[in-house]
Amino acid sequence: MVAEKYVLALDQGTTSSRAIIFDKNGSVVSVANQEFPQIYPKPGWVEHDPIDILESQISVAKKAMRQADIEADQIVAIGITNQRETTIVWDKKTGKPIHNAIVWQCRRTADICEKLKQSEWGEKIKKKTGLVVDAYFSATKLKWILDNVPGAREKAKAGELLFGTVDSWLIWNLTGGKIHVTDFSNASRTMLFNIHNLKWDEELLELLEIPRQMLPEVLPSSYIYGYTVKEIFGVQIPIGSDAGDQQAALFGQLCCEPGMVKNTYGTGCFLLMNTGKTAVSSESGLLTTIAWSLDGKEVCYALEGSVFIAGAAIQWLRDGLRIIAKASDTEYMANSVADSGGIYFVPAFVGLGAPYWDMFARGTIVGITRGITREHIVRATLESIAYQTRDVLEAMEKDSKMKINTLRVDGGASVNNFLMQFQADILGIPVERPKVNETTALGAAYLAGLAVGFWENMDQIKQQWQLDKKFEPTLPEKERERLYAGWKKAVSRAMRWAEE
Ligand code: G3P
């Protein structure tokens, strides 16, 4: 009997490393998950130990195989997807990181970014990289390491140090220190990559004093970069894909045509819209980014917007206000009242992103009367996630001049039926939730499977997308717009609150 074959996706996220094995139908066969320590050296600073990242990732990969009784030689390819922007610098000879990974959330370079943004570089960087200058991206994190670790810049100039986002770090280690690469989607999050000519930008490297030789080679997202060394899994397995996690989720949702959008409901929300061959420049503060490249000649672009606080607002109900015991309680509690009782909750705990961009906005609940109960507050919290999503989708439609016809959803809170129905109602378009919720890993698996011929082509893959539930809008337009107008009014009350 010929043993069944599978693809193994490694999903290296911000709080945990995950490994998911998929069969040829794109169904999940095994999942393993391991959290690893978050390091907060100072307020606003966030680091990871790159060794924790690597070891937890390898350990879950083995566990996923063990759990499902799958041998390493049944894995036809490994797909890599990762938390983006997080920056690692390591010694080429010893393989040792010279500093902890500086995580995407880390704000330590906010001052450098503020200065850059105010200068002529603000616009220039946006034009070249598609990004708004911010400490979020890798460029200033890498500069910080070179400026602050004694001797680092000299060593980097001498070609002794390597830089990589988490994907590069994993691939380099899995291939025994042979292959130093990244893909177009990850490169586009560094703020060092020109998304139009598809090259590392010499002018930006010079500006930030980053030696060119420490950067990885940029390759397609579906590609055989190399093979894992025998010592890890006992056999050599081809590494067939590399993509940033949000882009991988867009691919996993099979949002392959221009105008298709996915929303991942996590701590915050990440919304990505496929814009095809056009790098749409945003007027609303959205990011222009590379979704993927299948062949290295052409890239597919995306517009990206995020909602800072989504699931985090539900966590606050649980841990801060303590009016729910667990996140899943929110669904029946929200359904137990006819509406939010006229209140709005704007969860602007850390300011507001697109399209408001107000870092002084703060969380606000408006419209409270004597009859308001905790059920109303719970309902208003879920509704706020849907309203914020509409804010970003409207900005996407405006910038791209494309009409969004459906929203595909994934992530933790997408299981909440109340939220998904309200989302459809407030957008006035259907919301589609797929059967496979592991869309990020699935995207990485598809890209890897395509590289090794496990799946022949996109058509074969597209047939695999299966709907779990479609939420049709039922709210009359007038009511929808009345509710949304109330949200806008509430946002105006939350804005600029913390301004001196
Ligand atoms: O840009 C950051 C994003 O890639 C992080 O994703 O899922 O690890 O929180 P996640």
Side-chain angles (χ1 to χ4, degrees):
M1 205 180 79
V2 186
E4 203 66 49
K5 300 283 181 193
Y6 304 93
V7 177
L8 167 65
L10 304 183
D11 178 3
Q12 206 304 305
T14 311
T15 54
S16 68
S17 294
R18 298 163 60 68
I20 296 110
I21 299 179
F22 292 93
D23 66 14
K24 202 155 183 171
N25 300 322
S27 303
V28 175
V29 176
S30 180
V31 184
N33 184 64
Q34 190 177 318
E35 291 192 3
F36 57 86
Q38 306 290 310
I39 304 165
Y40 304 109
K42 288 187 189 179
W45 291 31
V46 191
E47 296 180 357
H48 292 156
D49 182 340
I51 304 296
D52 285 343
I53 289 181
L54 180 65
E55 286 179 352
S56 58
Q57 196 58 74
I58 293 177
S59 146
V60 288
K62 290 181 178 168
K63 191 172 168 203
M65 287 191 239
R66 221 174 27 243
Q67 272 174 185
D69 231 346
I70 289 172
E71 297 296 329
D73 60 6
Q74 291 174 267
I75 304 291
V76 293
I78 289 179
I80 304 233
T81 179
N82 56 290
Q83 53 164 320
R84 306 165 305 165
E85 301 96 12
T86 297
T87 300
I88 306 175
V89 176
W90 67 96
D91 187 299
K92 196 173 176 176
K93 245 200 224 123
T94 65
K96 289 215 171 74
I98 65 159
H99 194 274
N100 271 341
I102 303 186
V103 177
W104 58 278
Q105 296 154 325
C106 186
R107 303 302 301 167
R108 81 184 62 190
T109 56
D111 285 350
I112 314 179
C113 291
E114 217 31 60
K115 277 190 204 120
L116 276 177
K117 213 169 166 178
Q118 300 311 331
S119 75
E120 44 160 353
W121 284 101
E123 258 316 292
K124 246 182 163 174
I125 290 176
K126 185 178 169 212
K127 276 213 178 92
K128 286 168 183 276
T129 66
L131 307 173
V132 178
V133 176
D134 198 274
Y136 177 17
F137 307 107
S138 319
T140 57
K141 299 182 195 290
L142 172 52
K143 175 179 165 51
W144 189 94
I145 292 177
L146 294 177
D147 287 344
N148 288 277
V149 176
R153 190 162 273 111
E154 289 65 42
K155 277 183 126 185
K157 275 188 195 148
E160 293 169 27
L161 298 183
L162 299 177
F163 152 77
T165 36
V166 169
D167 54 314
S168 303
W169 167 246
L170 290 177
I171 295 175
W172 192 83
N173 279 287
L174 291 172
T175 58
K178 276 207 206 78
I179 311 285
H180 185 220
V181 296
T182 190
D183 88 303
F184 287 96
S185 71
N186 274 298
S188 74
R189 314 297 296 187
T190 58
M191 215 173 82
L192 294 170
F193 193 69
N194 187 314
I195 61 166
H196 307 287
N197 68 15
L198 306 180
K199 291 195 169 80
W200 294 116
D201 193 87
E202 297 295 343
E203 223 185 340
L204 291 179
L205 295 179
E206 201 176 308
L207 173 75
L208 300 171
E209 296 173 90
I210 294 169
R212 171 76 181 77
Q213 56 269 40
M214 71 186 306
L215 303 181
E217 184 184 356
V218 188
L219 291 169
S221 319
S222 178
Y223 187 86
I224 302 176
Y225 311 99
Y227 294 79
T228 59
V229 283
K230 229 173 159 190
E231 294 78 66
I232 302 178
F233 299 115
V235 291
Q236 292 190 291
I237 307 174
I239 301 176
S241 75
D242 176 1
D245 55 9
Q246 301 310 321
Q247 289 93 330
L250 190 69
F251 198 79
Q253 285 275 24
L254 293 168
C255 290
C256 298
E257 304 299 327
M260 292 183 82
V261 185
K262 73 92 193 175
N263 189 13
T264 303
Y265 296 79
T267 311
C269 287
F270 281 103
L271 287 109
L272 265 76
M273 175 194 223
N274 183 324
T275 62
K277 291 180 193 165
T278 320
V280 173
S281 171
S282 172
E283 299 296 316
S284 324
L286 302 175
L287 306 173
T288 311
T289 204
I290 296 179
W292 52 73
S293 165
L294 298 180
D295 57 9
K297 287 182 219 113
E298 251 180 22
V299 297
C300 177
Y301 291 96
L303 261 182
E304 174 170 326
S306 46
V307 168
F308 297 152
I309 303 291
I314 302 175
Q315 282 167 356
W316 179 70
L317 296 181
R318 189 192 58 198
D319 307 333
L321 274 192
R322 296 198 214 126
I323 58 171
I324 58 168
K326 49 186 188 314
S328 57
D329 292 346
T330 57
E331 185 170 334
Y332 76 80
M333 284 172 81
N335 274 321
S336 73
V337 283
D339 54 35
S340 72
I343 67 163
Y344 286 90
F345 173 23
V346 185
F349 299 158
V350 292
L352 286 170
Y356 309 107
W357 293 108
D358 178 0
M359 60 179 164
F360 299 111
R362 286 296 176 272
T364 309
I365 299 178
V366 294
I368 302 175
T369 56
R370 184 67 183 78
I372 291 304
T373 61
R374 60 186 192 146
E375 282 75 12
H376 291 113
I377 294 179
V378 166
R379 184 166 173 135
T381 307
L382 295 179
E383 290 182 356
S384 78
I385 300 174
Y387 289 127
Q388 294 182 92
T389 297
R390 172 156 168 185
D391 288 340
V392 176
L393 285 192
E394 285 202 344
M396 282 178 164
E397 284 193 327
K398 197 164 133 235
D399 285 339
S400 67
K401 299 180 185 68
M402 280 185 229
K403 173 88 188 80
I404 298 168
N405 297 317
T406 34
L407 177 67
R408 290 191 169 176
V409 297
D410 54 74
S414 71
V415 299
N416 189 311
N417 292 320
F418 169 82
L419 173 58
M420 293 302 107
Q421 183 56 51
F422 189 76
Q423 186 69 83
D425 282 339
I426 215 62
L427 291 173
I429 57 171
V431 165
E432 296 182 337
R433 183 172 67 198
K435 268 207 178 123
V436 176
N437 201 349
E438 297 282 359
T439 42
T440 302
L442 182 60
Y446 279 153
L447 289 164
L450 281 172
V452 297
F454 187 58
W455 289 294
E456 274 150 40
N457 51 39
M458 286 305 295
D459 289 340
Q460 193 186 2
I461 283 175
K462 275 184 193 160
Q463 283 166 15
Q464 295 193 351
W465 194 88
Q466 275 185 49
L467 192 67
D468 167 46
K469 197 166 161 135
K470 187 171 186 166
F471 299 86
E472 294 282 358
T474 53
L475 210 62
E477 194 184 337
K478 218 168 150 205
E479 182 58 2
R480 175 165 67 239
E481 294 315 313
R482 187 188 69 79
L483 288 174
Y484 189 58
W487 164 255
K488 289 284 200 189
K489 198 169 156 195
V491 167
S492 74
R493 299 291 200 270
M495 285 180 78
R496 293 181 299 281
W497 177 260
E499 210 168 35
E500 290 289 300

